[in-house]
């Protein structure tokens, strides 16, 4: 095999992301990372559950949360999970342009989610004076939801970096694992959000 | 890849497989949206909290299962070690949450 790893119908393996040893290692490495991330977010969720009623006379979750906004954010992130599935589907069919297009849509949906989250935090801070230092509830809330938002920021930077870097290269066995690894990470962000909207927002409204 | 002179046929077979997979993932997505809506509506309609909290937690766990098994392909073969990682993480996650809550409230 030459150093040119670009793919054509003859050399196209079934799963280009895991056809090379490097690809297999990246795949395994990312899942080890996700196992660790599960524990990390569990610590933040545990803290939040323990402190969510400790409002110190400040605003409580019922005063703050609006379910319409959270529902919209959930739809955006869930849909971005589906568009990245589409992107990986096109990767498996060796269609680089469509893969880039669907990852581009994923990035846009992720950016809209982030915009709404920034709006939400700004709304809490300016209209309710609810900050990280307001109460133990405030600290736990911003630590958990903000850390998830930080993951979204990191994921978006990662995605844009690999999309720009590989824009003119086309799909190859070198960059397919990179896109696939990102796809898995992005789904995990959505997994965490499912628990955030359930445990923080919905359970916060129920009381 | 022995005796495969007709690569086009292989590719069309692969393409068909990918399409079947995609269809499953779209169904998964539709179900996830559906479950999300049930959870939000149950809370908005003010169903009693002893009933609604277990309900939304179960819906969340099912959704996460879909995400792991269909979107992240954990149902495919070659994911045994990977499942170990995630279930190990989930086990520790449960212990952590139970511990934190128990220390604070009991």
């Amino acid at each position: 095999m030459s150093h040119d790893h670009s793919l054509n119908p003859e050399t196209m393996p079934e799963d280009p992301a895991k056809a090379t040893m490097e690809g297999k290692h990246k795949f395994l490495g990312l899942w080890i990372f996700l196992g660790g991330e599960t524990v990390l977010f569990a610590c933040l969720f545990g803290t939040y559950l323990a402190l969510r009623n400790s409002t110190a006379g400040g605003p409580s979750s019922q005063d703050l949360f609006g379910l319409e906004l959270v529902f919209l954010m959930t739809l955006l992130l869930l849909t971005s999970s589906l568009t990245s599935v589409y992107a990986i589907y096109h990767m498996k069919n060796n269609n680089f342009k469509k893969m880039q297009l669907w990852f581009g849509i994923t990035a846009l949906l992720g950016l809209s989610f982030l915009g709404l989250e920034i709006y939400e935090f700004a709304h809490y801070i300016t209209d309710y004076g609810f900050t990280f230092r307001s109460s133990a509830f405030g600290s736990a809330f911003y630590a958990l939801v903000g850390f998830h938002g930080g993951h979204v920021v990191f994921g978006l930077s990662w995605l844009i970096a690999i999309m720009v870097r590989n824009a003119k290269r086309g799909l190859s066995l070198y960059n397919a694992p990179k896109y696939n690894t990102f796809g898995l990470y992005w789904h995990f962000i959505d997994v965490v959000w499912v628990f955030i909207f359930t445990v923080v927002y919905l359970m916060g409204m129920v009381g | 890849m022995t005796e495969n002179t007709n690569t086009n046929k292989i590719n069309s077979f692969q393409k068909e497989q990918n399409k079947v997979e995609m269809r499953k993932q779209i169904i998964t997505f539709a179900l996830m949206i559906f479950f999300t809506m049930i959870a939000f509506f149950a809370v908005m309609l003010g169903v009693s909290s002893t009933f609604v909290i277990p309900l939304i937690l179960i819906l969340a766990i099912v959704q996460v299962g879909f995400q792991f098994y269909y979107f992240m392909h954990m149902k495919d073969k070659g994911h045994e070690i990977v499942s170990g990682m995630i279930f190990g993480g989930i086990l520790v996650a449960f212990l952590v949450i139970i511990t934190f809550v128990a220390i604070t409230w009991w």
Side-chain angles (χ1 to χ4, degrees):
Chain A
M1 205 173 176
S2 69
H3 288 294
D4 177 26
H5 289 291
S6 63
L7 300 169
N8 59 58
E10 257 94 311
T11 59
M12 179 77 190
E14 202 173 323
D15 190 352
K18 279 179 272 176
T20 61
M21 195 50 94
E22 191 187 346
K24 288 191 179 91
H25 288 163
K26 281 196 167 133
F27 168 76
L28 183 63
L30 190 95
W31 278 94
I32 295 174
F33 168 70
L34 293 185
E37 289 270 282
T38 310
V39 178
L40 183 146
F41 274 105
C43 295
L44 293 169
F45 272 109
T47 313
Y48 178 81
L49 282 171
L51 299 174
R52 71 194 184 109
N53 294 321
S54 312
T55 51
S60 69
S61 52
Q62 276 105 330
D63 300 331
L64 291 166
F65 300 157
L67 285 185
E68 294 83 3
L69 184 73
V70 178
F71 186 66
L72 190 58
M73 285 163 81
T74 305
L75 283 188
L76 284 172
L77 208 60
L78 212 62
T79 311
S80 84
S81 206
L82 181 77
T83 54
S84 71
V85 165
Y86 266 114
I88 299 293
Y89 167 74
H90 288 300
M91 179 177 88
K92 285 183 178 163
N93 287 337
N94 197 12
N95 191 336
F96 181 72
K97 276 191 180 146
K98 279 198 174 158
M99 181 187 82
Q100 287 280 78
L101 172 72
W102 282 104
F103 268 132
I105 296 171
T106 306
L108 285 178
L109 289 166
L111 273 174
S112 334
F113 172 86
L114 201 63
L116 287 182
E117 184 150 84
I118 291 168
Y119 163 78
E120 184 200 357
F121 285 4
H123 171 66
Y124 293 161
I125 292 166
T126 52
D127 296 347
Y128 291 90
F130 177 68
T131 67
F132 197 83
R133 299 196 295 171
S134 295
S135 58
F137 163 61
S139 308
F141 171 79
Y142 282 115
L144 171 59
V145 183
F147 215 78
H148 175 268
H151 275 73
V152 174
V153 173
F154 177 77
L156 285 172
S157 322
W158 180 7
L159 175 60
I160 291 164
I162 53 172
M163 279 181 68
V164 171
R165 186 74 187 93
N166 295 300
K168 287 178 185 157
R169 284 174 169 166
L171 189 65
S172 68
L173 291 182
Y174 165 71
N175 58 28
K178 292 175 188 286
Y179 282 101
N180 191 54
T181 323
F182 167 79
L184 289 171
Y185 173 83
W186 196 252
H187 292 314
F188 186 77
I189 303 276
D190 199 31
V191 164
V192 175
W193 180 256
V194 168
F195 279 114
I196 289 186
F197 87 67
T198 305
V199 171
V200 176
Y201 293 98
L202 292 182
M203 276 169 63
M205 288 310 275
V206 172
Chain B
M1 291 281 239
T2 49
E3 292 170 21
N4 280 330
T5 43
N6 193 346
T7 44
N8 273 331
K9 206 165 191 178
I10 296 290
N11 279 319
S12 69
F13 174 70
Q14 275 181 21
K15 269 196 171 154
E16 196 52 44
Q17 290 284 86
N18 290 341
K19 219 176 240 176
V20 170
E21 182 71 31
M22 193 68 234
R23 210 167 296 146
K24 280 184 197 160
Q25 282 167 329
I26 290 173
I27 295 168
T28 307
F29 176 73
L31 283 172
M32 280 163 63
I33 294 282
F34 180 61
F35 288 159
T36 306
M37 284 164 97
I38 293 180
F40 273 90
F41 280 129
V43 172
M44 280 174 178
L45 292 174
V47 183
S48 80
S49 66
T50 44
F51 176 72
V52 84
I53 288 178
L55 174 75
I56 59 179
L57 284 176
I58 288 166
L59 286 176
I61 289 165
V62 173
Q63 274 204 54
V64 164
F66 277 151
Q67 191 85 240
F68 275 134
Y69 279 91
Y70 283 90
F71 279 15
M72 295 165 85
H73 299 281
M74 236 165 76
K75 66 176 172 44
D76 297 351
K77 62 176 188 292
H79 284 68
E80 293 81 9
I81 297 174
V82 155
S83 306
M85 300 292 165
I86 283 298
F87 283 114
I90 291 172
L91 177 71
V92 179
F94 263 109
L95 292 175
V96 165
I97 290 172
I98 290 166
T99 312
F100 278 24
V101 174
I103 285 175
T104 321
W105 296 115
W106 279 295

